[in-house]
Amino acid sequence: AEPKVAANKPEPPKTEPKPEAKIPANAFVNTLGMPFVPVPGTEVAFCIWETRVKDYAAFAAANAGVDGSWKKPFGDRFKQADMHPVVKVSWEDANAFCEWLTKKELAEGKIKERQKYRLPTDAEWSVAVGLGKEKGDTPFEKDRIMGDSGVYLWGKGFPPPKDAGNYRQSLNVDNFDGTCPVGSFAANKFGLYDMGGNVWEWCEDSISPTSDDRVLRGASWSVNHQITLLSHHRYAGGYPDSRNNSYGFRCVLAGE
């Protein structure tokens, strides 16, 4: 006889769900196939998804000496595909990627002379997630002012509803054991995917003027804590050379 499956523990899907991401008609799509859309309230265009394994692989192929931690960040436990967000990349790695991509696309005439790729600032990221302009001068102050009274990517209330994003398995909202393909869940009002969950995203800023710790936003596949999942939460992810299999990044395109 076939083994019985507990009613409250559904079987995992046999194959990985296809991403739901759709590229908006107004998107600028670069040479790597990364789509960027303007976000009202900022002066930059945000990539609609996190930087993918395939994007970072192109950077690594063109630059000898790039640290190889990103190639097998989960060991033999979990394998990432091309459409998964790259992880185990430091703040320094992310900036090097942006600098390389800027030089590449300037040389190819894909972007204009005054344009460049970079990490979003903490303030830009807040606007892109839907918080608008926050009170406070530094990321640390803004986080403390909001405390635990903010909102989540899915709105008010905790725990998150089914398919709210890719978070820790104990929350039972998704079927992923680690990262998932970018765009697997619904986009926010600006057309941006995974602004909550999947991977922590590096921002340009330090958490405060007296700290070298860089800001990470958006929580990740490994997070289930109620306060940490709030959209305003800032995670001081460590020094600029810190790498973790829940750390990734999203690019913005700045300039005219």
Side-chain angles (χ1 to χ4, degrees), residues 8-27:
N8 63 348
K9 190 176 181 182
E11 290 185 272
K14 296 291 189 298
T15 58
E16 208 170 62
K18 292 182 179 179
E20 298 295 329
K22 292 180 174 60
I23 298 176
N26 68 332

Side-chain angles (χ1 to χ4, degrees), residues 15-38:
T15 58
E16 208 170 62
K18 292 182 179 179
E20 298 295 329
K22 292 180 174 60
I23 298 176
N26 68 332
F28 164 78
V29 181
N30 71 9
T31 59
L32 299 183
M34 300 167 65
F36 291 77
V37 294

Side-chain angles (χ1 to χ4, degrees), residues 118-185:
R118 60 169 171 80
L119 295 177
T121 64
D122 177 74
E124 289 167 344
W125 201 98
S126 286
V127 173
V129 81
L131 295 174
K133 183 174 173 59
E134 300 165 285
K135 295 179 180 178
D137 294 324
T138 69
F140 179 82
E141 287 179 4
K142 292 173 182 177
D143 189 51
R144 287 291 182 263
I145 288 170
M146 290 293 289
D148 60 359
S149 61
V151 297
Y152 301 95
L153 186 68
W154 58 87
K156 294 279 188 178
F158 190 88
K162 186 70 176 174
D163 294 327
N166 180 19
Y167 299 104
R168 196 180 185 100
Q169 282 191 308
S170 59
L171 290 174
N172 296 315
V173 296
D174 66 273
N175 293 314
F176 296 101
D177 187 33
T179 58
C180 69
V182 297
S184 292
F185 301 93

Side-chain angles (χ1 to χ4, degrees), residues 52-76:
R52 303 164 297 181
V53 168
K54 64 186 296 185
D55 306 321
Y56 202 78
F59 161 65
N63 294 273
V66 172
D67 184 272
S69 301
W70 64 276
K71 293 180 179 179
K72 208 172 182 181
F74 296 89
D76 295 325

Side-chain angles (χ1 to χ4, degrees), residues 56 59-60 63-74 86-97 199-200 202 213-214 216 221-222 235-249:
Y56 202 78
F59 161 65
N63 294 273
V66 172
D67 184 272
S69 301
W70 64 276
K71 293 180 179 179
K72 208 172 182 181
F74 296 89
V86 67
V87 294
K88 275 212 170 175
V89 288
S90 67
W91 182 89
E92 291 174 345
D93 297 332
N95 275 279
F97 173 90
V199 296
W200 285 105
W202 287 109
D213 287 339
R214 288 337 193 242
L216 287 146
W221 62 270
S222 66
Y235 181 51
Y239 292 114
D241 60 354
S242 299
R243 296 187 179 97
N244 188 288
N245 65 11
S246 65
Y247 293 2
F249 67 102

